[in-house]
Amino acid sequence: MISSFSERLKLAREKAELSQVDVMERVGINNKTLSGYETEKAEPDIGTINLLCDLYGVSADWLFGRTKVKNIYVTSKQTFINLSDESFITSEVDYQEKSLTESQKHRLLKMMRLFLD
């Protein structure tokens, strides 16, 4: 389980599929500075935290370990799961901050179909 701010910060960047250099190019935070944040050698100010939260699509509450919900922002985009095909299996599904394996997604899909029949 991820517990520290620095671990969550690094995970958020990786889930956003960004390298430290990508972050530097997008928002101007030096990659060595970002590395310091991710290794607990430095602490970002509140403005930097907000900037990184927006870039990574996560909430500050999640970064600080106050909630398990990574993204609390409301968007107009809705995700629909089609239980009649296998698209669920190929989609990214997380539970308690861990990605489900293909086997777990197959079992979950089977349980959802049983529940709804």
Side-chain angles (χ1 to χ4, degrees):
M1 181 176 194
I2 297 168
S3 57
S4 75
F5 171 83
S6 60
E7 290 173 314
R8 287 173 179 258
L9 187 65
K10 183 176 181 179
L11 177 65
R13 178 180 55 77
E14 291 172 344
K15 286 282 190 176
E17 297 181 354
L18 296 169
S19 69
Q20 290 179 348
V21 173
D22 292 332
V23 174
M24 179 180 69
E25 291 171 351
R26 290 187 185 196
V27 294
I29 297 172
N30 184 293
N31 58 312
K32 290 182 182 181
T33 302
L34 184 59
S35 176
Y37 299 156
E38 293 180 357
T39 57
E40 297 183 1
K41 294 179 181 168
E43 292 183 7
D45 61 30
I46 192 69
T48 301
I49 292 169
N50 287 332
L51 187 67
L52 292 172
C53 284
D54 289 343
L55 179 64
Y56 299 157
V58 298
S59 71
D61 278 345
W62 180 79
L63 279 180
F64 287 112
R66 294 171 44 100
T67 181
K68 290 183 179 182
V69 179
K70 290 181 189 175
N71 185 345
I72 60 168
Y73 304 114
V74 177
T75 64
S76 60
K77 182 180 177 185
Q78 295 182 353
T79 303
F80 295 95
I81 299 172
N82 185 349
L83 298 179
S84 63
D85 66 20
E86 299 297 309
S87 62
F88 175 75
I89 305 303
T90 60
S91 63
E92 180 69 26
V93 180
D94 290 352
Y95 178 69
Q96 294 184 342
E97 302 175 4
K98 294 181 182 176
S99 293
L100 295 182
T101 65
E102 189 172 315
S103 173
Q104 290 169 321
K105 288 187 273 187
H106 275 290
R107 289 195 316 259
L108 183 57
L109 183 59
K110 187 183 285 186
M111 286 189 306
M112 287 188 291
R113 287 176 177 164
L114 285 171
F115 178 75
L116 295 171
D117 286 340

